[in-house]
Amino acid sequence: MSIKSIAAKLFARNIYKKTQLWANKPVATQQAVFESLIQEAQHTQFGKDHHFDRIKTTEDFAIQVPIRDYEDLKPYVEKVVKGEKNVLWKGKPLYFAKTSGTTSGAKYIPLTKESMPYHIEAARNAILHYIHETGNADFVDGKMIFLQGSPILEEKYGIQFGRLSGIVAHFVPKYLQKNRMPSWKTNCIEDWEAKIDAIVEETFQQNMTVISGIPSWVQMYFERLKQKAGKPVGDIFKNFNLFIYGGVNYEPYRAKFENLIGRKVDSIELFPASEGFFAYQDSQKEKGMLLLLNSGIFYEFIKSEAFFSDNPKSYTIGEVELGVNYVMIISTNAGLWRYNIGDTVQFTSLTPYRVIVSGRIKHYISAFGEHVIGKEVESALQEAVEGTNIRVNEFTVAPQITPSSGLPYHEWFIEFDSEASGEPDDMDAFAEAIDNAMRKQNIYYDDLIVGNILQKLVITKVSKNGFQEYMKSIGKLGGQNKIPRLSNDRKIADFLSENL
């Protein structure tokens, strides 16, 4: 065992103990965060506009400050982008994380000197919790890679702009610099396919022990590696035993990954976003990710079923229940106030508070009142492939409201791993298995099938790299971009249908 791995274990034990201090007093921790945020922002323009000096309780806060999405907050953000101080948070932000919104065009999410450290610490602590629980620390001596956006930043009015992953690249600790891959030059390549090819060339002969990124894009990297070597990734990187991911549920990809790797590897799930780092998987034994209650973020939760009603009730951490689908609302030390990030979560544990990401409040299907969410389609697909050789590269689901004949239905667009005999032998039986799993999870969907409002789902097979072609067509190939699991319209479906 190396000195570095011994030090990692000692550091991991220390961080674990510190985590327990706040995790064991969640309500008090969140109350302290809330009071600090209100106090620190009293003299900002936003604080004055919303009378922060009068806010004493979370109930006052809910009355004084309406829930906002980016479009609602945009007038304040635009002032900050133009260089004004003390607008949403004291002073100016250090950075703006620039993201591509679906309805608002480019979005600029502020990162402040108070919020930025938590992005770095959370990713680090996720790995340290893994080390503490498993005792596995040998990987710290090998090479690590994170497939991310370009670290090249722009500057305007004294504030730097860029992708969050590119900004984070500037904060890699010195003790990891020698282990980190790819090179700075390769990381700066903008074209995603060219970048992947360059990463393959750089890493092919290296002792890679940790690989991280969004599963769909890591899959592309693995496929290029396997194509180059003619053998599984696990044979190329014999000491690769830890995959770190975020952004999407890994389960639909797991069988495909194990085939590409040639064996099972441990995994750690993260829940990061430009708006904050919200949770990470703190245990290999427990379901869900530890919600970070001491990271400068005050959380509120609104039941998804009530979200679009007038004045829906918000719940603080001490009031949430297990298994309920909540829209997560955040207020942060980067100046986001009662901000709807669009994600929905469910609690899997209340001691400590752990969550899973169940979907997006705007990504659902309810063309007939069924309100199908992302977690349901992912779980149904996982159940249908379990115990089979079927492997799925990517999928999305959309309603078909006006079929050429017969009843409407949910159309599942699935790209199978045909090269590894990963397609179903009987497509109808596979569709039936998914449909049955959906009906067990969603009583509204079941009622529509029973009532002859919908026919059973239909699978449309997508050609190889069909989803990549779609992402390329909208300028979102690679990086942190993800295919929506669900759409209540047929924008994605129509593209895929035309390019089968």
Side-chain angles (χ1 to χ4, degrees), residues 236-283:
I236 302 170
F237 304 138
K238 295 186 183 298
N239 296 314
F240 166 47
N241 283 301
L242 183 59
F243 173 50
I244 303 173
Y245 67 95
V248 298
N249 185 358
Y250 179 44
E251 293 309 317
Y253 298 94
R254 189 178 292 276
K256 169 70 174 180
F257 266 58
E258 289 176 0
N259 175 257
L260 286 168
I261 298 167
R263 53 183 164 81
K264 294 184 178 181
V265 298
D266 286 346
S267 60
I268 301 174
E269 183 176 9
L270 310 178
F271 185 9
S274 300
E275 294 86 353
F277 203 124
F278 307 121
Y280 57 72
Q281 183 181 347
D282 66 318
S283 173

Side-chain angles (χ1 to χ4, degrees), residues 169-333:
H170 291 260
F171 288 83
V172 176
K174 288 184 178 179
Y175 61 85
L176 286 181
Q177 291 286 5
K178 290 182 179 179
N179 298 65
R180 181 183 174 84
M181 298 196 80
S183 66
W184 187 267
K185 180 181 178 181
T186 295
N187 226 6
C188 292
I189 297 173
E190 290 288 350
D191 181 83
W192 184 252
E193 292 183 284
K195 184 173 186 171
I196 287 291
D197 288 337
I199 291 173
V200 168
E201 291 302 319
E202 271 194 7
T203 58
F204 184 65
Q205 302 291 338
Q206 298 293 329
N207 176 30
M208 302 302 302
T209 56
V210 178
I211 296 172
S212 60
I214 290 178
S216 52
W217 306 121
V218 175
Q219 177 180 307
M220 187 176 176
Y221 168 55
F222 284 175
E223 287 171 341
R224 300 282 174 94
L225 279 169
K226 191 173 181 180
Q227 184 180 19
K228 179 178 176 64
K231 57 184 178 180
V233 173
D235 288 348
I236 302 170
F237 304 138
K238 295 186 183 298
N239 296 314
F240 166 47
N241 283 301
L242 183 59
F243 173 50
I244 303 173
Y245 67 95
V248 298
N249 185 358
Y250 179 44
E251 293 309 317
Y253 298 94
R254 189 178 292 276
K256 169 70 174 180
F257 266 58
E258 289 176 0
N259 175 257
L260 286 168
I261 298 167
R263 53 183 164 81
K264 294 184 178 181
V265 298
D266 286 346
S267 60
I268 301 174
E269 183 176 9
L270 310 178
F271 185 9
S274 300
E275 294 86 353
F277 203 124
F278 307 121
Y280 57 72
Q281 183 181 347
D282 66 318
S283 173
Q284 295 289 300
K285 302 170 185 174
E286 304 294 335
K287 184 179 181 182
M289 295 174 283
L290 182 70
L291 188 65
L292 303 181
L293 302 176
N294 73 327
S295 297
I297 302 171
F298 175 67
Y299 298 93
E300 297 173 83
F301 304 91
I302 297 174
K303 292 180 179 179
S304 296
E305 62 197 34
F307 183 72
F308 293 107
S309 62
D310 293 334
N311 300 314
K313 177 175 173 53
S314 60
Y315 299 86
T316 54
I317 196 65
E319 302 170 306
V320 295
E321 304 171 50
L322 293 173
V324 175
N325 209 43
Y326 292 105
V327 179
M328 194 167 78
I329 306 298
I330 60 168
S331 299
T332 78
N333 56 6

Side-chain angles (χ1 to χ4, degrees), residues 34 37-38 46 50 52 54-66 298 300 329-332 336-339:
F34 169 73
L37 291 174
I38 297 301
F46 189 95
H50 295 83
F52 274 24
R54 302 179 196 170
I55 294 175
K56 306 301 180 187
T57 67
T58 57
E59 289 81 9
D60 294 340
F61 185 51
I63 292 170
Q64 295 286 92
V65 182
F298 175 67
E300 297 173 83
I329 306 298
I330 60 168
S331 299
T332 78
L336 302 178
W337 300 103
R338 302 201 80 211
Y339 186 88

Side-chain angles (χ1 to χ4, degrees), residues 54-128:
R54 302 179 196 170
I55 294 175
K56 306 301 180 187
T57 67
T58 57
E59 289 81 9
D60 294 340
F61 185 51
I63 292 170
Q64 295 286 92
V65 182
I67 292 168
R68 287 177 165 89
D69 58 17
Y70 184 81
E71 199 63 34
D72 297 324
L73 198 66
K74 197 172 181 179
Y76 287 99
V77 174
E78 286 179 337
K79 291 182 179 181
V80 187
V81 170
K82 290 176 181 177
E84 289 190 34
K85 296 180 180 179
N86 305 314
V87 179
L88 288 165
W89 189 253
K90 55 190 181 182
K92 288 184 179 183
L94 291 178
Y95 301 94
F96 273 106
K98 185 177 179 181
T99 68
S100 51
T102 54
T103 58
S104 308
K107 294 164 62 176
Y108 298 92
I109 306 299
L111 297 166
T112 64
K113 66 179 181 180
E114 290 81 10
S115 70
M116 193 67 223
Y118 288 116
H119 284 272
I120 311 306
E121 288 176 13
R124 179 202 69 188
N125 291 352
I127 297 174
L128 292 172

